[in-house]
Every structure is written in C-alpha cells, then in structure tokens.
Amino acid sequence: MITYRPLCESEINRTLFCDFIRRQVVTKCWRKENGQWLIKDAPFIDDWTEEDYLFLIDCLKETIASGGLVQGAFADQKLKGFVAVLPELFGGENQYLDLAAIHVSQDMRNSGIGKALFLTAKQWAKEKGAKKLYISAHSAVESQAFYKKMGCVEAKFYHQKHVEAEPFDCQLEVVL
C-alpha cells in the first residue's frame, strides 16, 4: 500500500533517500531540430551522485521554507516518490507555477505513484491561483510518454532559466 503525505523540512536528509533508486536507463530521447521534434538515439544511464542528492536535499528544503509543496509517496514507510512545486507565479500574466521535481524510484515505476503525485501537484498549483503547471522535463522517450499521458503539451512560454540549465529538456505545460 502506498501512502502520500507532505514532507517536513526537518525530515529531508540523506537517510530519507536510502531506499530511493533514481537510476534510469535511457536509449532514446526527444530532440527539437529545425522546429521539429524527433526521436534520436541518446543512450546513457541517468543516476544521482552523492553530490546530486545533497543538492536535491537543499532544494527541497528551500521549496518548503519558501511555501512550496513537497509531497512524498511511501511504501512500507520508505520514500519511493516525490514531487515539488515552487510557490512563485511566473510567465505572461503570472499563469504558471513550476513543477520543480517529480521522481519515482526505479523499483516502483508504472505503479501509479507518478500519476498520483502529478495530480497532487496540479491541485496544489490550482489552489495557489496558477492557470498552468510548467515542467522542464527529461527528454527520455519514457519520461515524455508519462507527461503526454498526464495531458502535458509543449509550453507556449519557455522559462529561460530552465532552458539554460537543461538545454535538452522538453519545456512543457499542463492546464489546471
């Protein structure tokens, strides 16, 4: 049984992630070339280093401290998924909130955790007055299939901070 709950700043530490498996074996990714989206061979293994976990922990704590959402999914009291939404409205007529992170442990993918976390993020963003959720999303074919299933489309407005930080990410949005 999966349980979902907001995370507290004080519980976000390296131990929380001891049973979380970030690993993703990627073979194909979406790439935009000459205005067209194409699937390209781009094999690599995406995994987090210890430094990546420490950076993530700082980011999640900051999200909570600033009034954002950090929600966890637990199986047998072990973190198996999480989502984070930043609290600041941006873009155009302040219509977006930023889905800063959504991840499901490799051993629990395709179990409904991602969908549940995504729906929680959408509901929270709507309650905060956003019209859309903005996602700078991993370009792996599997990741993009998830976002498409959730109703995401290419963003009308590109958040330059995200484009510069992750130039191969797909910039997406979903109406709330």
PDB file of all heavy atoms in Angstrom, residues 9 60-68:
ATOM      1  N   GLU A   9      10.390  19.893   6.421  1.00  0.00           N
ATOM      2  CA  GLU A   9      11.776  20.297   6.173  1.00  0.00           C
ATOM      3  C   GLU A   9      12.753  19.489   7.031  1.00  0.00           C
ATOM      4  O   GLU A   9      13.809  19.060   6.554  1.00  0.00           O
ATOM      5  CB  GLU A   9      11.912  21.792   6.447  1.00  0.00           C
ATOM      6  CG  GLU A   9      13.201  22.387   5.993  1.00  0.00           C
ATOM      7  CD  GLU A   9      13.254  23.889   6.200  1.00  0.00           C
ATOM      8  OE1 GLU A   9      12.210  24.523   6.457  1.00  0.00           O
ATOM      9  OE2 GLU A   9      14.368  24.431   6.109  1.00  0.00           O
ATOM     10  N   LEU A  60      14.885  20.883  -1.949  1.00  0.00           N
ATOM     11  CA  LEU A  60      13.591  20.509  -1.366  1.00  0.00           C
ATOM     12  C   LEU A  60      13.332  21.264  -0.065  1.00  0.00           C
ATOM     13  O   LEU A  60      12.211  21.731   0.178  1.00  0.00           O
ATOM     14  CB  LEU A  60      13.522  18.999  -1.135  1.00  0.00           C
ATOM     15  CG  LEU A  60      13.534  18.126  -2.395  1.00  0.00           C
ATOM     16  CD1 LEU A  60      13.528  16.657  -2.031  1.00  0.00           C
ATOM     17  CD2 LEU A  60      12.390  18.474  -3.333  1.00  0.00           C
ATOM     18  N   LYS A  61      14.358  21.422   0.754  1.00  0.00           N
ATOM     19  CA  LYS A  61      14.209  22.190   1.995  1.00  0.00           C
ATOM     20  C   LYS A  61      13.857  23.643   1.682  1.00  0.00           C
ATOM     21  O   LYS A  61      12.993  24.239   2.345  1.00  0.00           O
ATOM     22  CB  LYS A  61      15.488  22.118   2.828  1.00  0.00           C
ATOM     23  CG  LYS A  61      15.678  20.791   3.516  1.00  0.00           C
ATOM     24  CD  LYS A  61      16.934  20.812   4.380  1.00  0.00           C
ATOM     25  CE  LYS A  61      17.046  19.539   5.190  1.00  0.00           C
ATOM     26  NZ  LYS A  61      18.051  19.639   6.235  1.00  0.00           N
ATOM     27  N   GLU A  62      14.520  24.213   0.691  1.00  0.00           N
ATOM     28  CA  GLU A  62      14.239  25.602   0.293  1.00  0.00           C
ATOM     29  C   GLU A  62      12.813  25.736  -0.236  1.00  0.00           C
ATOM     30  O   GLU A  62      12.135  26.728   0.025  1.00  0.00           O
ATOM     31  CB  GLU A  62      15.250  26.074  -0.748  1.00  0.00           C
ATOM     32  CG  GLU A  62      14.979  27.450  -1.311  1.00  0.00           C
ATOM     33  CD  GLU A  62      14.918  28.569  -0.270  1.00  0.00           C
ATOM     34  OE1 GLU A  62      15.607  28.481   0.755  1.00  0.00           O
ATOM     35  OE2 GLU A  62      14.151  29.531  -0.479  1.00  0.00           O
ATOM     36  N   THR A  63      12.357  24.746  -0.987  1.00  0.00           N
ATOM     37  CA  THR A  63      10.987  24.772  -1.512  1.00  0.00           C
ATOM     38  C   THR A  63       9.983  24.837  -0.366  1.00  0.00           C
ATOM     39  O   THR A  63       9.046  25.642  -0.392  1.00  0.00           O
ATOM     40  CB  THR A  63      10.721  23.543  -2.404  1.00  0.00           C
ATOM     41  OG1 THR A  63      11.619  23.587  -3.523  1.00  0.00           O
ATOM     42  CG2 THR A  63       9.286  23.516  -2.911  1.00  0.00           C
ATOM     43  N   ILE A  64      10.173  24.010   0.636  1.00  0.00           N
ATOM     44  CA  ILE A  64       9.271  24.020   1.799  1.00  0.00           C
ATOM     45  C   ILE A  64       9.383  25.346   2.549  1.00  0.00           C
ATOM     46  O   ILE A  64       8.364  25.964   2.883  1.00  0.00           O
ATOM     47  CB  ILE A  64       9.571  22.839   2.735  1.00  0.00           C
ATOM     48  CG1 ILE A  64       9.207  21.519   2.051  1.00  0.00           C
ATOM     49  CG2 ILE A  64       8.798  22.982   4.054  1.00  0.00           C
ATOM     50  CD1 ILE A  64       9.686  20.283   2.791  1.00  0.00           C
ATOM     51  N   ALA A  65      10.600  25.809   2.791  1.00  0.00           N
ATOM     52  CA  ALA A  65      10.814  27.052   3.542  1.00  0.00           C
ATOM     53  C   ALA A  65      10.175  28.253   2.849  1.00  0.00           C
ATOM     54  O   ALA A  65       9.715  29.186   3.516  1.00  0.00           O
ATOM     55  CB  ALA A  65      12.308  27.294   3.748  1.00  0.00           C
ATOM     56  N   SER A  66      10.109  28.223   1.525  1.00  0.00           N
ATOM     57  CA  SER A  66       9.544  29.349   0.775  1.00  0.00           C
ATOM     58  C   SER A  66       8.036  29.221   0.549  1.00  0.00           C
ATOM     59  O   SER A  66       7.436  30.060  -0.111  1.00  0.00           O
ATOM     60  CB  SER A  66      10.267  29.500  -0.566  1.00  0.00           C
ATOM     61  OG  SER A  66      10.019  28.372  -1.388  1.00  0.00           O
ATOM     62  N   GLY A  67       7.434  28.150   1.077  1.00  0.00           N
ATOM     63  CA  GLY A  67       5.987  27.991   0.953  1.00  0.00           C
ATOM     64  C   GLY A  67       5.548  27.091  -0.180  1.00  0.00           C
ATOM     65  O   GLY A  67       4.357  27.036  -0.514  1.00  0.00           O
ATOM     66  N   GLY A  68       6.472  26.371  -0.787  1.00  0.00           N
ATOM     67  CA  GLY A  68       6.133  25.467  -1.875  1.00  0.00           C
ATOM     68  C   GLY A  68       5.661  24.116  -1.370  1.00  0.00           C
ATOM     69  O   GLY A  68       5.584  23.873  -0.162  1.00  0.00           O
TER      70      GLY A  68
END
